[in-house]
Amino acid sequence: MQKTLMIMAAEIRTSLRRKSFVIIAIVAPVVMGLIALGIGLASRNAMEDTLATAAAAVAASRPAGYVDGAGLIRILPADLPADQLIRYDDEAAAQAALHANTIAGYYLIAPDYVQSGRVTYVTPEFRVLSDRLDAGLIEHLLLVNLLGGDTALASAVQQPLEVRTTSLAPAAAATDESWIGEMFPLFMVLILYMALIMPGGILINALIDEKKNRVMEVLMTSVSAAQMVTGKVAALGLLGLLMTALWLGVLWAVSSFGGSALAIPAGFSLPISLLLWALIYFLGGYAIYGAQFAGIGALAPDVNQTKSVTWIVMMPIIIAYVFMATSFSNPTGPFAVFLSLFPLTSSVAMIGRMAATEVPLWQAVLAAVLQFITAYFIIRLTARLFRAQHLLTGQPLTPKVFYKTLLGRA
């Protein structure tokens, strides 16, 4: 265990010295997260300032007066805000109060209001903020008096409809029509895809460099093949886990602080359970692909000869990425379910399904168990490549050679 940890520590230090990894895996998500946070906070502060200004304007606004030319108002409802409507016996008194700045304006209720419904609002100069008036108050006052003092009926007449929408579709079929709701499954798939592929490429390059520098031969004299594979795969896995956590943090920052500036719905939030599943599937998926990438690095004499083998190894995850990125409209179809359960594709496909719809718990657990079982056997097979790599140094690497050696038939 101590030797495995030493290999892990050395591999982590080496990877963190690579500028490309640091920029893509750490700097990029942190910068994007800070940008999203800054935009969200700026938007929120601007909104708070606007609301504060509006609230101050309403608080500082003067009441309105009214002149009941029709003689209708005999009852003052208890729910009418105090000092918001002041009664004047005639228009001359209302004008005097207006000139004295006691009121912002006054309503003239026409003598034939019952027939015409005419109400005139008089103000010297209307300004949206400073003279903001609520015509609903005078409307409510008139309705209460016309309906014999029944305030509940007056409120129902004033706002007769309260429409609520109920969908007959299953809850899992409900979709968020906002841009982040539609793009969220794709973001999750893309993050898992990048987190699986990028550390693997770095691992291949690191192993080939160690072979060329003869560092591999020195290490193999003091550590076992299993310790070598486990240490290197675990090191890049931890860095990939960090990369995944940072990118998921960016999604969380965007959804939590983006606000109206980024058109994020008020009720949108990242499901915590989905984030936990994403980390679990990353660990299982990276153990599978990281071990294979380590085997490629152990056998390849140079980077150029790894392309064809790497492409074959990555084919399942590429198929899963392409299919899930274009088929979120049917995440419960048989092919999508198969991809989410098959160990070589479940990391991307299962998270894509979880982000798009509700997945039965037994499928999620089964996929994770199959992943880790597959990873265990692949890591054991990969250890053979490290024992054989001295014999195969300099031999051209092809997919046939790779898989024959992996299965112990080389």
Side-chain angles (χ1 to χ4, degrees), residues 338-357:
F338 169 76
L339 290 178
S340 65
L341 295 177
F342 185 55
L344 299 183
T345 57
S346 57
S347 295
V348 169
M350 183 60 81
I351 291 302
R353 286 187 62 209
M354 286 183 170
T357 187

Side-chain angles (χ1 to χ4, degrees), residues 63-66 80-87 107 134 137-138 141:
Y66 68 92
L80 185 71
D83 300 328
Q84 290 298 305
L85 285 174
I86 301 176
R87 182 183 183 119
Y107 295 98
D134 187 359
L137 292 177
I138 192 67
L141 180 60

Side-chain angles (χ1 to χ4, degrees), residues 156-316:
V157 171
Q158 192 171 8
Q159 295 182 347
L161 296 178
E162 183 180 353
V163 179
R164 296 182 180 180
T165 302
T166 300
S167 174
L168 296 179
T175 57
D176 191 339
E177 296 182 355
S178 65
W179 72 269
I180 194 170
E182 294 178 354
M183 297 298 293
F184 178 61
L186 180 59
F187 288 153
M188 292 298 298
V189 168
L190 181 59
I191 288 173
L192 265 295
Y193 177 79
M194 291 175 55
L196 289 174
I197 298 302
M198 185 178 173
I202 294 175
L203 181 58
I204 292 176
N205 292 332
L207 287 170
I208 292 176
D209 289 342
E210 289 181 357
K211 286 180 58 178
K212 290 181 177 180
N213 298 329
R214 300 296 181 180
V215 175
M216 179 73 70
E217 296 180 10
V218 176
L219 290 175
M220 292 300 295
T221 59
S222 58
V223 300
S224 67
Q227 290 172 332
M228 175 72 72
V229 175
T230 303
K232 288 187 174 295
V233 172
L236 271 298
L238 287 177
L239 293 178
L241 187 63
L242 173 62
M243 175 182 174
T244 304
L246 288 174
W247 280 108
L248 291 177
V250 170
L251 272 183
W252 176 81
V254 170
S255 63
S256 300
F257 300 101
S260 58
L262 297 178
I264 306 296
F268 182 84
S269 61
L270 291 183
I272 300 300
S273 60
L274 178 63
L275 301 183
L276 294 177
W277 279 116
L279 297 178
I280 291 173
Y281 283 115
F282 164 78
L283 292 175
Y286 182 75
I288 291 174
Y289 284 96
Q292 294 183 78
F293 290 142
I296 294 173
L299 295 180
D302 57 68
V303 175
N304 294 330
Q305 294 192 27
T306 66
K307 295 179 181 179
S308 60
V309 182
T310 302
W311 175 258
I312 298 298
V313 169
M314 290 170 51
M315 186 60 68

